[in-house]
Amino acid sequence: MQLAEKVALITGAGSGIGKATALLFAKEGAKVAALGRSEEELKETVTQIQDARGEAMPVKADISKPDQMQQAVQQVVERWGRLDIVFANAGINGVWAPLEELDPEEWDKTINVNLTGTYLTVKYAVPYLKKQGGSVIITSSVNGTRMFSNTGATAYACTKAAQVAFAKMVALELAQDRIRVNVICPGAIETDIEESTDRQDLEQVKEPVEFPEGEIPLTDGKPGTSEQVAQLVLFLASDASSHITGTEMWIDGGQSLLQG
């Protein structure tokens, strides 16, 4: 088992990439703290792990709230005595709209969840990661890193670009403590996040572009799966990537090379 006796905190663990990663980590021997805002979704993730004879605990918290994240990390350490892996995965697509129609409140919400949430997740985990070293993996996106053609996704793309800068800054800062920090940049993946995207009045500002048939070259247009992304996260969490830090990795089947 690649993660035997390791303790992992996974945000957004109730669905999609977070859930797939939680199940895979547990299968590889990790004790999993599944964090999210929905008790029902977290219960399903934890139950699946426990039914497969793994070890997991639900942690309910809002990643954009400092007090909740500080308490969440403390809960994990109080339960298992250590923290080795942090997967800062939770985030929202938010509102996608022309700039003049994007309300400041909508901008702030996307920034607070995606960027501040990443900062808080890592900040409160660092004192415990420093004790023995560890791995931090952050979920960014092709948007804001390789792709800029999703008109209206300005707030979202800015948070995703900033997550990469954040990872590079803290990777260097934490290297002396043997903490690795890396970023994954998924493209189109079969998750529920797309359904919650609020698109508003984009027809007038979006550039008319016609892509070749099959927008994801590697799969003839078929999106990737959460399980495929989980395999990349496992690699970055494990000793197999022991000399990799401060690096972003795109997992999109070549989508961003075509649509950038």
Side-chain angles (χ1 to χ4, degrees):
M1 291 187 178
Q2 298 184 61
L3 304 179
E5 302 306 315
K6 302 280 187 171
V7 174
L9 171 64
I10 299 174
T11 68
S15 63
I17 293 169
K19 180 178 181 179
T21 302
L23 298 176
L24 182 59
F25 275 19
K27 183 179 178 181
E28 290 294 332
K31 299 177 178 69
V32 175
L35 187 146
R37 292 188 298 176
S38 168
E39 287 184 359
E40 186 175 338
E41 283 188 331
L42 292 177
K43 183 178 179 181
E44 183 177 326
T45 300
V46 170
T47 299
Q48 282 189 243
I49 290 173
Q50 292 173 341
D51 287 347
R53 298 184 180 180
E55 194 168 350
M57 66 179 288
V59 182
K60 186 180 178 182
D62 181 337
I63 62 169
S64 68
K65 306 295 184 184
D67 56 339
Q68 292 188 30
M69 285 310 298
Q70 186 173 25
Q71 291 168 13
V73 173
Q74 288 176 345
Q75 286 178 46
V76 178
V77 176
E78 287 171 4
R79 170 77 176 269
W80 288 312
R82 62 186 292 155
L83 183 58
D84 304 278
I85 301 162
V86 174
F87 183 27
N89 166 72
I92 59 172
N93 275 4
V95 173
W96 291 16
L99 190 60
E100 66 268 32
E101 296 179 25
L102 182 63
D103 294 336
E105 294 79 12
E106 295 163 345
W107 169 275
D108 287 345
K109 181 178 179 180
T110 303
I111 299 294
N112 289 338
V113 173
N114 291 355
L115 183 56
T116 302
T118 297
Y119 152 71
L120 294 173
T121 301
V122 178
K123 170 185 171 60
Y124 291 118
V126 161
Y128 303 103
L129 294 170
K130 281 185 174 181
K131 293 184 178 181
Q132 71 285 312
S135 177
V136 175
I137 305 100
I138 297 167
T139 298
S140 177
S141 172
V142 293
N143 290 289
T145 59
R146 268 187 178 172
M147 281 177 55
F148 300 89
S149 53
N150 278 320
T151 305
T154 308
Y156 178 76
C158 285
T159 63
K160 297 291 123 177
Q163 283 177 314
V164 174
F166 173 85
K168 291 177 184 290
M169 291 296 297
V170 298
L172 188 58
E173 177 182 333
L174 300 175
Q176 62 184 344
D177 297 298
R178 302 299 180 263
I179 300 171
R180 298 182 296 108
V181 184
N182 292 293
V183 186
I184 63 167
C185 301
I189 305 295
E190 293 177 340
T191 69
D192 296 333
I193 193 170
E194 189 68 18
E195 298 173 9
S196 62
T197 306
D198 186 357
R199 291 180 170 83
Q200 301 177 4
D201 302 325
L202 295 175
E203 293 77 13
Q204 299 302 316
V205 293
K206 192 171 181 65
E207 288 290 333
V209 178
E210 193 170 320
F211 293 108
E213 185 176 348
E215 296 180 7
I216 305 174
L218 198 60
T219 57
D220 294 326
K222 184 179 179 181
T225 68
S226 295
E227 288 74 20
Q228 287 174 313
V229 181
Q231 289 288 346
L232 175 58
V233 182
L234 173 61
F235 167 70
L236 292 172
S238 73
D239 291 339
S241 61
S242 60
H243 203 52
I244 300 175
T245 195
T247 298
E248 62 269 53
M249 293 189 178
W250 287 272
I251 177 166
D252 67 350
Q255 177 188 12
S256 61
L257 298 176
L258 180 67
Q259 298 184 36

Short mmCIF file of all heavy atoms in Angstrom, two decimals, residues 170-229:
data_model
loop_
_atom_site.label_atom_id
_atom_site.label_comp_id
_atom_site.label_asym_id
_atom_site.label_seq_id
_atom_site.Cartn_x
_atom_site.Cartn_y
_atom_site.Cartn_z
N VAL A 170 4.69 28.75 -1.66
CA VAL A 170 4.82 27.98 -0.43
C VAL A 170 5.65 26.71 -0.62
O VAL A 170 6.22 26.19 0.34
CB VAL A 170 3.43 27.66 0.19
CG1 VAL A 170 2.71 28.94 0.56
CG2 VAL A 170 2.59 26.82 -0.74
N ALA A 171 5.75 26.22 -1.86
CA ALA A 171 6.62 25.06 -2.11
C ALA A 171 8.06 25.38 -1.75
O ALA A 171 8.76 24.57 -1.12
CB ALA A 171 6.52 24.63 -3.57
N LEU A 172 8.50 26.57 -2.13
CA LEU A 172 9.87 26.98 -1.80
C LEU A 172 10.01 27.24 -0.31
O LEU A 172 10.99 26.84 0.32
CB LEU A 172 10.24 28.22 -2.61
CG LEU A 172 11.70 28.66 -2.53
CD1 LEU A 172 12.63 27.54 -2.99
CD2 LEU A 172 11.92 29.91 -3.37
N GLU A 173 9.01 27.89 0.25
CA GLU A 173 9.04 28.21 1.68
C GLU A 173 9.08 26.96 2.55
O GLU A 173 9.77 26.92 3.58
CB GLU A 173 7.81 29.05 2.04
CG GLU A 173 7.68 29.40 3.51
CD GLU A 173 6.42 30.20 3.79
OE1 GLU A 173 5.93 30.91 2.88
OE2 GLU A 173 5.91 30.11 4.93
N LEU A 174 8.35 25.93 2.15
CA LEU A 174 8.20 24.75 3.00
C LEU A 174 9.15 23.60 2.64
O LEU A 174 9.14 22.57 3.29
CB LEU A 174 6.76 24.25 2.92
CG LEU A 174 5.68 25.23 3.39
CD1 LEU A 174 4.29 24.67 3.14
CD2 LEU A 174 5.87 25.59 4.85
N ALA A 175 9.97 23.80 1.60
CA ALA A 175 10.87 22.73 1.18
C ALA A 175 11.83 22.31 2.29
O ALA A 175 12.14 21.12 2.45
CB ALA A 175 11.66 23.17 -0.06
N GLN A 176 12.29 23.27 3.09
CA GLN A 176 13.22 22.94 4.18
C GLN A 176 12.58 22.05 5.24
O GLN A 176 13.28 21.38 6.00
CB GLN A 176 13.73 24.23 4.83
CG GLN A 176 12.64 25.07 5.48
CD GLN A 176 13.18 26.38 6.02
OE1 GLN A 176 14.38 26.55 6.18
NE2 GLN A 176 12.28 27.33 6.31
N ASP A 177 11.26 22.03 5.26
CA ASP A 177 10.54 21.18 6.20
C ASP A 177 10.08 19.87 5.56
O ASP A 177 9.29 19.13 6.14
CB ASP A 177 9.31 21.93 6.75
CG ASP A 177 9.71 23.17 7.53
OD1 ASP A 177 10.40 23.02 8.54
OD2 ASP A 177 9.33 24.28 7.10
N ARG A 178 10.60 19.61 4.35
CA ARG A 178 10.29 18.38 3.62
C ARG A 178 8.78 18.25 3.32
O ARG A 178 8.21 17.17 3.37
CB ARG A 178 10.80 17.14 4.37
CG ARG A 178 12.29 17.15 4.64
CD ARG A 178 13.08 17.18 3.33
NE ARG A 178 14.53 17.19 3.57
CZ ARG A 178 15.30 18.27 3.58
NH1 ARG A 178 14.75 19.47 3.37
NH2 ARG A 178 16.59 18.19 3.77
N ILE A 179 8.19 19.41 3.04
CA ILE A 179 6.78 19.44 2.62
C ILE A 179 6.76 19.78 1.14
O ILE A 179 7.28 20.82 0.72
CB ILE A 179 5.97 20.48 3.41
CG1 ILE A 179 6.02 20.16 4.91
CG2 ILE A 179 4.53 20.52 2.91
CD1 ILE A 179 5.42 21.27 5.78
N ARG A 180 6.17 18.91 0.35
CA ARG A 180 6.05 19.14 -1.09
C ARG A 180 4.68 19.74 -1.39
O ARG A 180 3.68 19.35 -0.77
CB ARG A 180 6.24 17.83 -1.86
CG ARG A 180 7.61 17.21 -1.66
CD ARG A 180 7.80 15.94 -2.46
NE ARG A 180 6.90 14.86 -2.05
CZ ARG A 180 5.88 14.44 -2.75
NH1 ARG A 180 5.57 15.00 -3.92
NH2 ARG A 180 5.12 13.45 -2.30
N VAL A 181 4.64 20.68 -2.33
CA VAL A 181 3.39 21.35 -2.70
C VAL A 181 3.26 21.34 -4.22
O VAL A 181 4.10 21.91 -4.92
CB VAL A 181 3.34 22.80 -2.17
CG1 VAL A 181 1.98 23.42 -2.48
CG2 VAL A 181 3.64 22.85 -0.68
N ASN A 182 2.23 20.70 -4.72
CA ASN A 182 2.02 20.61 -6.16
C ASN A 182 0.57 20.91 -6.51
O ASN A 182 -0.31 20.96 -5.65
CB ASN A 182 2.41 19.22 -6.66
CG ASN A 182 3.92 18.99 -6.56
OD1 ASN A 182 4.70 19.63 -7.26
ND2 ASN A 182 4.33 18.09 -5.68
N VAL A 183 0.31 21.11 -7.80
CA VAL A 183 -1.00 21.52 -8.28
C VAL A 183 -1.46 20.61 -9.42
O VAL A 183 -0.66 20.26 -10.28
CB VAL A 183 -0.96 22.97 -8.82
CG1 VAL A 183 -2.36 23.45 -9.17
CG2 VAL A 183 -0.31 23.90 -7.82
N ILE A 184 -2.72 20.23 -9.41
CA ILE A 184 -3.30 19.54 -10.56
C ILE A 184 -4.24 20.50 -11.28
O ILE A 184 -4.92 21.32 -10.65
CB ILE A 184 -4.04 18.25 -10.16
CG1 ILE A 184 -5.23 18.55 -9.24
CG2 ILE A 184 -3.07 17.26 -9.52
CD1 ILE A 184 -6.17 17.37 -9.06
N CYS A 185 -4.25 20.41 -12.61
CA CYS A 185 -5.08 21.30 -13.43
C CYS A 185 -5.98 20.45 -14.32
O CYS A 185 -5.63 20.17 -15.48
CB CYS A 185 -4.21 22.21 -14.27
SG CYS A 185 -3.09 23.27 -13.33
N PRO A 186 -7.13 20.01 -13.81
CA PRO A 186 -8.03 19.19 -14.62
C PRO A 186 -8.71 20.01 -15.72
O PRO A 186 -8.97 21.20 -15.56
CB PRO A 186 -9.06 18.68 -13.61
CG PRO A 186 -8.46 18.94 -12.27
CD PRO A 186 -7.61 20.15 -12.44
N GLY A 187 -9.02 19.31 -16.82
CA GLY A 187 -9.87 19.88 -17.85
C GLY A 187 -11.29 19.40 -17.61
O GLY A 187 -11.76 19.35 -16.47
N ALA A 188 -11.97 19.02 -18.68
CA ALA A 188 -13.35 18.53 -18.56
C ALA A 188 -13.35 17.16 -17.89
O ALA A 188 -12.83 16.19 -18.43
CB ALA A 188 -13.99 18.44 -19.93
N ILE A 189 -13.93 17.10 -16.70
CA ILE A 189 -14.01 15.87 -15.92
C ILE A 189 -15.47 15.65 -15.53
O ILE A 189 -16.18 16.61 -15.22
CB ILE A 189 -13.14 15.95 -14.64
CG1 ILE A 189 -11.69 16.31 -14.99
CG2 ILE A 189 -13.21 14.65 -13.85
CD1 ILE A 189 -10.95 15.28 -15.79
N GLU A 190 -15.90 14.41 -15.54
CA GLU A 190 -17.29 14.10 -15.18
C GLU A 190 -17.50 14.27 -13.68
O GLU A 190 -17.25 13.36 -12.89
CB GLU A 190 -17.62 12.67 -15.61
CG GLU A 190 -17.65 12.47 -17.11
CD GLU A 190 -17.90 11.04 -17.51
OE1 GLU A 190 -17.68 10.15 -16.67
OE2 GLU A 190 -18.32 10.81 -18.66
N THR A 191 -17.94 15.47 -13.27
CA THR A 191 -18.27 15.74 -11.87
C THR A 191 -19.56 16.56 -11.85
O THR A 191 -20.10 16.93 -12.88
CB THR A 191 -17.16 16.55 -11.16
OG1 THR A 191 -17.13 17.88 -11.70
CG2 THR A 191 -15.80 15.90 -11.33
N ASP A 192 -20.02 16.90 -10.64
CA ASP A 192 -21.26 17.67 -10.49
C ASP A 192 -21.04 19.18 -10.54
O ASP A 192 -21.99 19.95 -10.56
CB ASP A 192 -21.94 17.33 -9.15
CG ASP A 192 -22.39 15.88 -9.09
OD1 ASP A 192 -22.66 15.31 -10.17
OD2 ASP A 192 -22.44 15.32 -7.98
N ILE A 193 -19.78 19.63 -10.54
CA ILE A 193 -19.53 21.07 -10.41
C ILE A 193 -20.08 21.86 -11.60
O ILE A 193 -20.53 22.99 -11.46
CB ILE A 193 -18.01 21.35 -10.24
CG1 ILE A 193 -17.79 22.81 -9.78
CG2 ILE A 193 -17.23 21.05 -11.51
CD1 ILE A 193 -16.37 23.11 -9.36
N GLU A 194 -20.09 21.24 -12.78
CA GLU A 194 -20.58 21.93 -13.98
C GLU A 194 -22.06 22.29 -13.84
O GLU A 194 -22.51 23.34 -14.31
CB GLU A 194 -20.36 21.06 -15.21
CG GLU A 194 -20.63 21.74 -16.53
CD GLU A 194 -19.64 22.84 -16.87
OE1 GLU A 194 -18.55 22.88 -16.27
OE2 GLU A 194 -19.98 23.67 -17.73
N GLU A 195 -22.81 21.43 -13.15
CA GLU A 195 -24.24 21.66 -13.00
C GLU A 195 -24.55 22.87 -12.13
O GLU A 195 -25.61 23.46 -12.23
CB GLU A 195 -24.90 20.41 -12.41
CG GLU A 195 -24.78 19.17 -13.30
CD GLU A 195 -25.28 17.93 -12.61
OE1 GLU A 195 -25.87 18.05 -11.52
OE2 GLU A 195 -25.10 16.83 -13.16
N SER A 196 -23.60 23.24 -11.27
CA SER A 196 -23.83 24.37 -10.36
C SER A 196 -23.27 25.68 -10.90
O SER A 196 -23.33 26.71 -10.23
CB SER A 196 -23.21 24.08 -8.99
OG SER A 196 -21.80 23.91 -9.10
N THR A 197 -22.72 25.66 -12.11
CA THR A 197 -22.18 26.89 -12.69
C THR A 197 -23.32 27.81 -13.13
O THR A 197 -24.22 27.40 -13.85
CB THR A 197 -21.30 26.57 -13.92
OG1 THR A 197 -20.31 25.62 -13.55
CG2 THR A 197 -20.64 27.82 -14.45
N ASP A 198 -23.26 29.06 -12.69
CA ASP A 198 -24.28 30.05 -13.03
C ASP A 198 -23.77 30.90 -14.19
O ASP A 198 -22.97 31.81 -14.01
CB ASP A 198 -24.57 30.92 -11.81
CG ASP A 198 -25.73 31.88 -12.04
OD1 ASP A 198 -26.27 31.90 -13.17
OD2 ASP A 198 -26.09 32.61 -11.10
N ARG A 199 -24.23 30.58 -15.41
CA ARG A 199 -23.82 31.34 -16.60
C ARG A 199 -24.87 32.41 -16.89
O ARG A 199 -26.05 32.12 -17.01
CB ARG A 199 -23.67 30.40 -17.80
CG ARG A 199 -22.48 29.46 -17.69
CD ARG A 199 -22.40 28.55 -18.92
NE ARG A 199 -21.17 27.81 -18.98
CZ ARG A 199 -20.95 26.67 -18.34
NH1 ARG A 199 -21.90 26.14 -17.58
NH2 ARG A 199 -19.79 26.04 -18.44
N GLN A 200 -24.40 33.66 -17.06
CA GLN A 200 -25.32 34.78 -17.26
C GLN A 200 -24.92 35.62 -18.46
O GLN A 200 -23.81 36.17 -18.50
CB GLN A 200 -25.35 35.66 -16.01
CG GLN A 200 -25.78 34.95 -14.73
CD GLN A 200 -25.73 35.85 -13.52
OE1 GLN A 200 -25.43 37.04 -13.62
NE2 GLN A 200 -26.02 35.29 -12.35
N ASP A 201 -25.80 35.71 -19.47
CA ASP A 201 -25.66 36.65 -20.60
C ASP A 201 -24.29 36.58 -21.28
O ASP A 201 -23.66 37.62 -21.53
CB ASP A 201 -25.92 38.09 -20.11
CG ASP A 201 -27.29 38.24 -19.49
OD1 ASP A 201 -28.23 37.59 -19.99
OD2 ASP A 201 -27.43 39.01 -18.53
N LEU A 202 -23.83 35.39 -21.60
CA LEU A 202 -22.51 35.25 -22.20
C LEU A 202 -22.51 35.30 -23.73
O LEU A 202 -21.46 35.45 -24.35
CB LEU A 202 -21.87 33.92 -21.74
CG LEU A 202 -21.57 33.81 -20.25
CD1 LEU A 202 -21.08 32.41 -19.92
CD2 LEU A 202 -20.56 34.86 -19.82
N GLU A 203 -23.70 35.17 -24.33
CA GLU A 203 -23.77 35.06 -25.78
C GLU A 203 -23.17 36.27 -26.49
O GLU A 203 -22.52 36.15 -27.54
CB GLU A 203 -25.23 34.88 -26.23
CG GLU A 203 -25.88 33.56 -25.81
CD GLU A 203 -26.28 33.55 -24.34
OE1 GLU A 203 -26.29 34.64 -23.72
OE2 GLU A 203 -26.58 32.47 -23.82
N GLN A 204 -23.35 37.48 -25.93
CA GLN A 204 -22.91 38.70 -26.60
C GLN A 204 -21.42 38.95 -26.48
O GLN A 204 -20.84 39.70 -27.27
CB GLN A 204 -23.68 39.91 -26.02
CG GLN A 204 -25.19 39.83 -26.21
CD GLN A 204 -25.59 39.71 -27.67
OE1 GLN A 204 -25.06 40.42 -28.51
NE2 GLN A 204 -26.52 38.81 -27.97
N VAL A 205 -20.76 38.35 -25.49
CA VAL A 205 -19.33 38.64 -25.27
C VAL A 205 -18.43 37.49 -25.67
O VAL A 205 -17.22 37.67 -25.82
CB VAL A 205 -19.06 39.01 -23.79
CG1 VAL A 205 -19.73 40.33 -23.45
CG2 VAL A 205 -19.49 37.91 -22.85
N LYS A 206 -18.98 36.31 -25.85
CA LYS A 206 -18.16 35.15 -26.18
C LYS A 206 -17.75 35.18 -27.65
O LYS A 206 -18.58 35.39 -28.53
CB LYS A 206 -18.92 33.86 -25.88
CG LYS A 206 -18.06 32.62 -25.91
CD LYS A 206 -18.82 31.41 -25.40
CE LYS A 206 -17.97 30.16 -25.40
NZ LYS A 206 -16.84 30.25 -24.48
N GLU A 207 -16.46 35.01 -27.92
CA GLU A 207 -15.97 34.97 -29.29
C GLU A 207 -16.47 33.72 -30.00
O GLU A 207 -16.38 32.62 -29.44
CB GLU A 207 -14.44 35.00 -29.31
CG GLU A 207 -13.83 36.33 -28.93
CD GLU A 207 -14.07 37.39 -30.00
OE1 GLU A 207 -14.23 37.02 -31.18
OE2 GLU A 207 -14.12 38.58 -29.64
N PRO A 208 -16.97 33.84 -31.23
CA PRO A 208 -17.45 32.66 -31.95
C PRO A 208 -16.26 31.84 -32.46
O PRO A 208 -15.54 32.26 -33.36
CB PRO A 208 -18.25 33.26 -33.11
CG PRO A 208 -17.66 34.61 -33.31
CD PRO A 208 -17.18 35.09 -31.97
N VAL A 209 -16.06 30.68 -31.86
CA VAL A 209 -14.95 29.81 -32.25
C VAL A 209 -15.51 28.42 -32.50
O VAL A 209 -16.31 27.91 -31.73
CB VAL A 209 -13.89 29.74 -31.12
CG1 VAL A 209 -12.78 28.78 -31.52
CG2 VAL A 209 -13.33 31.12 -30.84
N GLU A 210 -15.07 27.81 -33.58
CA GLU A 210 -15.51 26.46 -33.90
C GLU A 210 -14.31 25.52 -33.81
O GLU A 210 -13.36 25.62 -34.59
CB GLU A 210 -16.11 26.41 -35.30
CG GLU A 210 -16.86 25.11 -35.57
CD GLU A 210 -17.65 25.18 -36.87
OE1 GLU A 210 -18.24 26.25 -37.14
OE2 GLU A 210 -17.65 24.18 -37.60
N PHE A 211 -14.34 24.64 -32.82
CA PHE A 211 -13.23 23.71 -32.62
C PHE A 211 -13.41 22.50 -33.53
O PHE A 211 -14.52 22.17 -33.93
CB PHE A 211 -13.17 23.26 -31.17
CG PHE A 211 -12.80 24.36 -30.22
CD1 PHE A 211 -13.74 24.90 -29.36
CD2 PHE A 211 -11.52 24.87 -30.20
CE1 PHE A 211 -13.42 25.93 -28.50
CE2 PHE A 211 -11.17 25.91 -29.34
CZ PHE A 211 -12.13 26.43 -28.49
N PRO A 212 -12.31 21.80 -33.82
CA PRO A 212 -12.43 20.55 -34.57
C PRO A 212 -13.33 19.56 -33.84
O PRO A 212 -13.52 19.66 -32.62
CB PRO A 212 -10.98 20.03 -34.61
CG PRO A 212 -10.13 21.24 -34.37
CD PRO A 212 -10.93 22.13 -33.48
N GLU A 213 -13.87 18.63 -34.58
CA GLU A 213 -14.74 17.62 -33.96
C GLU A 213 -13.96 16.85 -32.91
O GLU A 213 -12.87 16.36 -33.16
CB GLU A 213 -15.25 16.66 -35.04
CG GLU A 213 -16.28 15.66 -34.50
CD GLU A 213 -16.83 14.77 -35.61
OE1 GLU A 213 -16.59 15.10 -36.79
OE2 GLU A 213 -17.49 13.78 -35.29
N GLY A 214 -14.54 16.75 -31.72
CA GLY A 214 -13.85 16.09 -30.62
C GLY A 214 -12.96 17.09 -29.91
O GLY A 214 -11.80 17.29 -30.27
N GLU A 215 -13.49 17.79 -28.92
CA GLU A 215 -12.76 18.88 -28.28
C GLU A 215 -11.68 18.40 -27.31
O GLU A 215 -10.88 19.18 -26.84
CB GLU A 215 -13.75 19.80 -27.55
CG GLU A 215 -14.69 20.50 -28.52
CD GLU A 215 -15.67 21.43 -27.83
OE1 GLU A 215 -15.51 21.62 -26.60
OE2 GLU A 215 -16.58 21.94 -28.48
N ILE A 216 -11.67 17.11 -26.99
CA ILE A 216 -10.62 16.54 -26.15
C ILE A 216 -9.89 15.51 -27.01
O ILE A 216 -10.36 14.39 -27.20
CB ILE A 216 -11.22 15.89 -24.88
CG1 ILE A 216 -12.07 16.93 -24.13
CG2 ILE A 216 -10.11 15.35 -23.98
CD1 ILE A 216 -12.83 16.37 -22.95
N PRO A 217 -8.74 15.87 -27.55
CA PRO A 217 -8.08 15.05 -28.57
C PRO A 217 -7.83 13.61 -28.16
O PRO A 217 -8.00 12.69 -28.97
CB PRO A 217 -6.76 15.80 -28.80
CG PRO A 217 -7.06 17.21 -28.45
CD PRO A 217 -8.02 17.14 -27.32
N LEU A 218 -7.43 13.39 -26.93
CA LEU A 218 -7.03 12.04 -26.51
C LEU A 218 -8.19 11.07 -26.46
O LEU A 218 -8.00 9.86 -26.57
CB LEU A 218 -6.34 12.11 -25.14
CG LEU A 218 -5.49 10.92 -24.71
CD1 LEU A 218 -4.34 10.68 -25.68
CD2 LEU A 218 -4.95 11.14 -23.30
N THR A 219 -9.42 11.60 -26.30
CA THR A 219 -10.59 10.72 -26.13
C THR A 219 -11.71 11.03 -27.12
O THR A 219 -12.85 10.64 -26.89
CB THR A 219 -11.14 10.85 -24.70
OG1 THR A 219 -11.46 12.24 -24.45
CG2 THR A 219 -10.13 10.38 -23.67
N ASP A 220 -11.40 11.78 -28.17
CA ASP A 220 -12.42 12.16 -29.16
C ASP A 220 -13.59 12.89 -28.52
O ASP A 220 -14.75 12.67 -28.88
CB ASP A 220 -12.92 10.93 -29.93
CG ASP A 220 -11.83 10.32 -30.81
OD1 ASP A 220 -11.01 11.10 -31.33
OD2 ASP A 220 -11.81 9.09 -30.95
N GLY A 221 -13.31 13.74 -27.56
CA GLY A 221 -14.34 14.58 -26.95
C GLY A 221 -14.91 14.09 -25.64
O GLY A 221 -15.63 14.81 -24.97
N LYS A 222 -14.58 12.87 -25.25
CA LYS A 222 -15.14 12.32 -24.02
C LYS A 222 -14.40 12.88 -22.81
O LYS A 222 -13.18 12.87 -22.78
CB LYS A 222 -15.04 10.80 -24.04
CG LYS A 222 -15.68 10.13 -22.84
CD LYS A 222 -15.56 8.61 -22.93
CE LYS A 222 -16.19 7.95 -21.70
NZ LYS A 222 -16.06 6.47 -21.76
N PRO A 223 -15.13 13.39 -21.79
CA PRO A 223 -14.47 13.93 -20.60
C PRO A 223 -13.72 12.85 -19.83
O PRO A 223 -14.02 11.66 -19.95
CB PRO A 223 -15.61 14.49 -19.75
CG PRO A 223 -16.84 14.34 -20.54
CD PRO A 223 -16.58 13.46 -21.69
N GLY A 224 -12.76 13.30 -19.02
CA GLY A 224 -12.08 12.38 -18.13
C GLY A 224 -12.95 12.02 -16.94
O GLY A 224 -14.06 12.55 -16.78
N THR A 225 -12.46 11.15 -16.09
CA THR A 225 -13.21 10.72 -14.91
C THR A 225 -12.53 11.17 -13.64
O THR A 225 -11.32 11.43 -13.62
CB THR A 225 -13.36 9.18 -14.88
OG1 THR A 225 -12.06 8.60 -14.66
CG2 THR A 225 -13.95 8.66 -16.18
N SER A 226 -13.31 11.24 -12.58
CA SER A 226 -12.75 11.59 -11.27
C SER A 226 -11.71 10.57 -10.84
O SER A 226 -10.72 10.91 -10.18
CB SER A 226 -13.88 11.66 -10.24
OG SER A 226 -14.78 12.70 -10.54
N GLU A 227 -11.93 9.31 -11.21
CA GLU A 227 -10.99 8.25 -10.83
C GLU A 227 -9.63 8.44 -11.50
O GLU A 227 -8.59 8.16 -10.90
CB GLU A 227 -11.57 6.88 -11.20
CG GLU A 227 -12.73 6.43 -10.33
CD GLU A 227 -14.04 7.18 -10.61
OE1 GLU A 227 -14.17 7.77 -11.72
OE2 GLU A 227 -14.92 7.20 -9.73
N GLN A 228 -9.63 8.94 -12.74
CA GLN A 228 -8.36 9.22 -13.42
C GLN A 228 -7.60 10.34 -12.71
O GLN A 228 -6.38 10.28 -12.55
CB GLN A 228 -8.62 9.60 -14.88
CG GLN A 228 -9.03 8.43 -15.75
CD GLN A 228 -9.42 8.87 -17.15
OE1 GLN A 228 -10.18 9.83 -17.32
NE2 GLN A 228 -8.91 8.17 -18.16
N VAL A 229 -8.31 11.36 -12.29
CA VAL A 229 -7.68 12.46 -11.55
C VAL A 229 -7.16 11.96 -10.22
O VAL A 229 -6.06 12.33 -9.78
CB VAL A 229 -8.66 13.63 -11.36
CG1 VAL A 229 -7.97 14.77 -10.61
CG2 VAL A 229 -9.19 14.13 -12.69
#
